[in-house]
Amino acid sequence: MLAAMSSPVAPSPPPGDPSPRDRDDACPGTLRLHGADDGALARVRVPGGVLDAAQADALGRAAEELGDGELHLTSRGNVQLRGLGPDRGAELARRLDGAGLLPSARHERIRNVVASPLSGLDGSGAGDVRPWLSGLDALLCADDETAALSGRFLFALDDGRGDVAALGADVTLVAQRDGTALLRIGTARATTRIPGERAPRVALLAARTFLERARGHGAWRVTDLPGGAEDLHAEIAERLRGAGLVATPDTSGTPAAPDTPGTPDIPAGPAGPAGPAGPAAGIVNSPHGTAALSVGVPLGRITPGQWRTLTDTARRGNGELRLTPWRGIVVPGVARTRAPELLDALGATGLVTGPDSPWTGVGACIGRPGCAKSLADVRADAAAALGPAGALPVYWSGCERRCGHPRGEWVDVVAGPDGYRVSRVRDSARNAARPPVQPPVQDPAQDPVRNEGRQQAPYDSPFPGGSDGLAAAVAAARGTRGLPI
């Protein structure tokens, strides 16, 4: 039945269209493909990034037999298939439905949930969020109202280490060591403490309250609402108390919003002050006597051979893969004695297996030839400019939209008509949750994304792609690991 529901390819909106809030959310999915220059694109939601080996096999075969062969990881731990023929949507839906990747056709685009990738694996964090993940996904798919959420609305389930709490989600839950959880709405400064076992239902209530507020406003995310996150948080907290839940304002001083003015920062992960980061590449030992393998994926693009090796490795562990919002993959449950050889085998395919890889921290949008809006082949230019691993991540964008850019502090390399401009930016929590799609800005001086929190000089002069000057400017902006920036 799902195969028959697959929608035709939706073309990209032409220049001069109304702003995103003046039209329907065109975020692609599996049942609604997006027309790109390299063929149709499907985005498969993978809540928490968790796949079993059979699902991974199904995705890999679909990419090879229906698309361009590669799988592309997104900044929300989802998977994209590119190069699909315009008549392949129905077959793709049939295959993914059979693999259990489409539990609800009506909800397939709204299952946007990120979760701490190492939760339950390394003994860190305040609690294991895996029960929250399965519970929330089931509730979302069973609720009629949540089908109206935008494909951009995001939930984050953080186990207390502060990794996904920093990703600008609309609804964030952070585990606490006493078994409670902190609820944050958007970038609101206030947080509410709730019983940990009720976290999935609280997230559902928050989403439904958002939908009530969004009616008539065309809001896709919390930051789009009149009154913003603070008003919505206050209303949700009141509803929780009215429903008989123990929902109290948090007064412990434990923050749930990194970089929010007036609150201390929670740990930002391996990247430290540079901002949120995922698991470092390498072997992650578990207190349970096993190990997890953490690898990075250069530019988020996985070849068929790499995917087969990852899936085979997962079968030597607990049969699971965890995709991360930092375009990495964690393979849990391998024997500690075999971990080094299995990691070496993954490294032999070109995956990042250690912190000194020149690909560490390097990201890019799809660029030319896949995107009509891109002004450059950013992936080729990023590869040409590779150097020693820097202190800051760097993200290459083919236009001012900066699709998929990271959070925290990073080096921004943006293609323009006259070449690339390089600058360093630190996102504030106030713009961390903004939608990734923005209208093109003709005058860089008027672009708030470029100028809020940016250090432009001396990195903001245009450089031709592939030039030595561009590589040097990027290296200088990134800094050197272990030294002040």
Side-chain angles (χ1 to χ4, degrees):
M1 183 177 70
L2 282 175
M5 297 177 62
S6 180
S7 300
V9 175
S12 301
D17 260 17
S19 71
R21 303 305 178 269
D22 295 332
R23 60 174 186 261
D24 289 339
D25 172 24
C27 202
T30 301
L31 303 180
R32 183 166 74 185
L33 307 185
H34 167 74
D37 273 20
D38 57 351
L41 175 153
R43 183 174 299 159
V44 184
R45 266 64 175 192
V46 185
V50 178
L51 292 168
D52 63 37
Q55 291 172 328
D57 280 338
L59 278 169
R61 286 194 300 269
E64 289 191 72
E65 297 170 11
L66 306 177
D68 65 6
E70 297 181 331
L71 292 169
H72 302 256
L73 302 187
T74 78
S75 59
R76 292 183 169 192
N78 294 320
V79 179
Q80 291 186 162
L81 286 76
R82 301 189 67 98
L84 297 163
D87 58 347
R88 295 301 183 98
E91 174 62 14
L92 176 65
R94 185 191 66 78
R95 293 184 183 207
L96 299 187
D97 182 31
L101 290 167
L102 287 174
S104 171
R106 295 182 60 219
H107 298 83
E108 65 102 2
R109 292 191 315 125
I110 65 98
R111 301 169 67 223
N112 294 302
V113 187
V114 293
S116 298
L118 294 181
S119 191
L121 297 180
D122 63 351
S124 299
D128 188 346
V129 299
R130 287 176 296 176
W132 292 0
L133 178 61
S134 57
L136 176 57
D137 189 36
L139 289 172
L140 290 174
C141 290
D143 190 273
D144 288 339
E145 292 186 29
T146 56
L149 286 170
S150 160
R152 305 171 191 272
F153 195 90
L154 180 63
F155 299 87
L157 308 178
D158 193 295
D159 70 357
R161 73 185 69 213
D163 50 5
V164 297
L167 296 181
D170 298 280
V171 177
T172 300
L173 291 162
V174 182
Q176 304 297 294
R177 296 198 180 277
D178 62 0
T180 64
L182 294 184
L183 169 69
R184 183 179 84 235
I185 302 301
T187 57
R189 300 182 185 184
T191 59
T192 295
R193 188 175 293 270
I194 61 169
E197 67 273 11
R198 303 303 298 271
R201 291 201 171 274
V202 169
L204 175 65
L205 182 147
R208 294 178 71 171
T209 306
F210 164 81
L211 285 170
E212 290 180 21
R213 282 282 194 102
R215 289 191 187 110
H217 296 292
W220 294 346
R221 306 198 63 188
V222 168
T223 50
D224 301 330
L225 288 175
E230 300 289 350
D231 285 357
L232 182 61
H233 175 267
E235 181 174 345
I236 291 169
E238 185 61 32
R239 290 191 181 195
L240 290 172
R241 288 188 286 271
L245 287 169
V246 181
T248 59
D250 179 56
T251 57
S252 69
T254 303
D259 300 329
T260 300
T263 62
D265 288 347
I266 53 178
I283 297 171
V284 181
N285 287 321
S286 163
H288 311 299
T290 59
L293 307 178
S294 175
V295 298
V297 179
L299 302 181
R301 187 169 59 186
I302 309 176
T303 66
Q306 289 172 333
W307 191 249
R308 282 192 290 271
T309 303
L310 282 162
T311 304
D312 290 345
T313 306
R315 289 193 166 93
R316 292 175 170 85
N318 68 1
E320 180 180 280
L321 294 170
R322 298 187 184 185
L323 316 180
T324 82
W326 299 274
R327 296 180 175 88
I329 299 177
V330 175
V331 184
V334 303
R336 283 192 185 183
T337 55
R338 298 204 61 191
E341 66 174 282
L342 292 173
L343 188 68
D344 286 345
L346 292 173
T349 70
L351 295 168
V352 176
T353 58
D356 295 329
S357 167
W359 285 109
T360 299
V362 179
C365 70
I366 195 65
R368 287 182 179 172
C371 178
K373 293 182 174 63
S374 180
L375 299 176
D377 185 346
V378 293
R379 295 184 174 224
D381 290 335
L386 280 182
L392 292 178
V394 57
Y395 197 80
W396 294 69
S397 301
C399 71
E400 297 285 354
R401 292 153 57 96
R402 297 177 176 81
C403 296
H405 72 74
R407 306 298 180 189
E409 190 174 2
W410 47 287
V411 174
D412 183 47
V413 185
V414 182
D418 54 350
Y420 285 98
R421 292 182 179 272
V422 182
S423 58
R424 208 158 64 204
V425 62
R426 182 174 179 83
D427 276 353
S428 69
R430 294 199 177 279
N431 65 20
R434 39 172 267 188
V437 176
Q438 296 293 321
V441 178
Q442 301 302 319
D443 180 3
Q446 302 302 315
D447 182 358
V449 186
R450 289 187 59 83
N451 294 301
E452 183 171 349
R454 283 178 187 274
Q455 299 177 14
Q456 295 193 17
Y459 312 119
D460 204 37
S461 299
F463 298 95
S467 67
D468 291 341
L470 175 60
V474 171
R478 295 189 74 189
T480 302
R481 288 196 169 204
L483 296 177
I485 299 171

